[in-house]
Amino acid sequence: MRNWTEEQMPDQHGRRAVVTGANSGVGRVTALELARHGAAVVLAVRNVAAGQEAAGAIRRAVPGAEVEVRKVDLASLASIRAFAADLPGEVDLLVNNAGVALTGKRPPLTVDGFDQQMGINALGPYALTGLLLDRLAAGKEPRVVTLSSLVHRWRGLDLDDLMSERVYRGPRAYALSKLVGTILGLELDRRLRATGSLVVSVLAHPGMTRTNLTPRAMADQNRLMRALSRVMSLPLSRVEAGARPQLYAATATGLRGGQFFGPRGFQELRGPVTEVRASAQALDPGNGRRMWAQAARLTGVTYL
């Protein structure tokens, strides 16, 4: 794994990958590299026009690439169900990459009544995974990748306030959503192994990466804060480097379920890919069981 890059990815011909949020940032790089190495890639995006632009760029970079764009809005359970119902064929790889980070005042709830960050970053991916699980189980060396974040370590799990209704602060709600997503990715691994499934659940985080997530998160801040965020982003990893832990998790051979990958540098902010450890809260099987039950209740999607 030392100094691993996308050039070391194994051949992906014959595999079909679904990548959420594949129109920009780490997701776009992930989709591009999967296509470059032979995978048929479904760009699962909320903004179809942006997805078509990304697909065109991938086809120009990789002539003959098999890429398609399909709409899914992770803030809507109806959209997730429609995407899963309309997607034909088997799936070998699901990359739950899409996410949102919000730092300002509380945004409107999702159509299902969830805090936006919790819905998009955690509950939506949980539902999508469950609705595609049968097709993953029929796939070739099937794998689910959950994109976590360094900030999942900043929060404890509060099952009584998953929607941050008591006190809303955008960064805290984001950290909670990433903790919940990490808990669900690890609990998915436990449940898959308990049933003898061939589907593998692994996780990754990009460290601190220069993507469009931070500018969007700061969009409702004042001019000084927006300028500060741009300055602070300069020393961050390029998006190609930020995508490597996710690409490794998606394609490396011989991985075990439950493994978690991130950058090897100081505080896991940047650097070559290495195996990292989730927080104690995320690793707690009791939290996993309780959060899985809550996710099933909230989404109405029950599996494993």
Side-chain angles (χ1 to χ4, degrees):
M1 186 195 307
R2 188 170 181 81
N3 298 324
W4 187 91
T5 73
E6 53 276 11
E7 300 305 318
Q8 296 167 255
M9 281 174 57
D11 181 64
Q12 299 295 299
H13 283 89
R15 303 196 78 215
R16 187 180 189 218
V18 174
V19 183
T20 66
N23 57 288
S24 66
V26 169
R28 182 164 174 157
V29 173
T30 298
L32 169 63
E33 293 302 333
L34 288 169
R36 195 190 304 278
H37 287 78
V41 185
V42 178
L43 280 59
V45 298
R46 180 183 60 83
N47 185 327
V48 172
Q52 294 289 5
E53 186 278 326
I58 291 171
R59 293 186 186 105
R60 289 191 294 275
V62 187
E66 190 175 342
V67 185
E68 62 175 311
V69 178
R70 288 181 174 267
K71 181 178 176 63
V72 63
D73 182 354
L74 293 174
S76 165
L77 290 170
S79 176
I80 294 167
R81 289 182 182 278
F83 172 87
D86 293 342
L87 183 69
E90 297 172 0
V91 176
D92 305 298
L93 172 64
L94 171 61
V95 183
N96 283 317
N97 163 84
V100 62
L102 304 169
T103 63
K105 63 184 180 181
R106 180 189 291 277
L109 299 177
T110 72
V111 294
D112 303 294
F114 305 148
D115 169 67
Q116 274 202 36
Q117 297 186 101
M118 184 61 68
I120 295 169
N121 297 345
L123 297 177
Y126 162 87
L128 179 63
T129 301
L131 293 168
L132 293 181
L133 194 58
D134 285 348
R135 268 162 288 178
L136 281 158
K140 176 185 177 183
E141 299 179 0
R143 193 173 297 184
V144 178
V145 180
T146 297
L147 187 63
S148 180
S149 168
L150 277 170
V151 305
H152 89 274
R153 300 183 176 119
W154 296 1
R155 284 295 306 271
L157 180 64
D158 185 352
L159 286 170
D160 295 324
D161 194 26
L162 286 177
M163 305 307 160
S164 301
E165 294 172 305
R166 292 181 194 139
V167 178
Y168 184 86
R169 296 187 183 92
R172 283 174 57 82
Y174 176 68
L176 178 60
S177 73
K178 283 299 185 178
L179 171 62
V180 169
T182 305
I183 289 171
L184 291 172
L186 292 167
E187 180 65 12
L188 174 63
D189 165 59
R190 294 185 193 101
R191 290 173 180 254
L192 288 168
R193 283 190 285 127
T195 63
S197 174
L198 296 179
V199 180
V200 172
S201 173
V202 290
L203 302 91
H205 80 76
M208 296 297 286
T209 303
R210 197 182 310 145
T211 71
N212 61 358
L213 199 61
T214 299
R216 286 179 181 173
M218 300 300 290
D220 59 355
Q221 299 294 309
N222 60 43
R223 187 178 299 175
L224 175 62
M225 290 299 292
R226 292 198 299 271
L228 182 62
S229 75
R230 287 193 290 272
V231 172
M232 291 176 65
S233 73
L234 294 177
L236 303 184
S237 295
R238 294 173 63 246
V239 66
E240 291 80 7
R244 283 175 187 147
Q246 180 163 273
L247 284 166
Y248 186 87
T251 65
T253 57
L255 297 191
R256 306 181 311 277
Q259 286 186 280
F260 189 9
F261 302 95
R264 192 172 67 227
F266 176 72
Q267 296 295 309
E268 299 174 22
L269 295 174
R270 57 187 297 172
V273 180
T274 192
E275 186 168 1
V276 299
R277 186 172 176 81
S279 71
Q281 287 274 313
L283 289 166
D284 183 347
N287 282 344
R289 289 190 297 272
R290 288 186 289 270
M291 191 58 242
W292 194 270
Q294 282 279 58
R297 180 183 66 81
L298 290 166
T299 64
V301 179
T302 303
Y303 57 105
L304 295 175

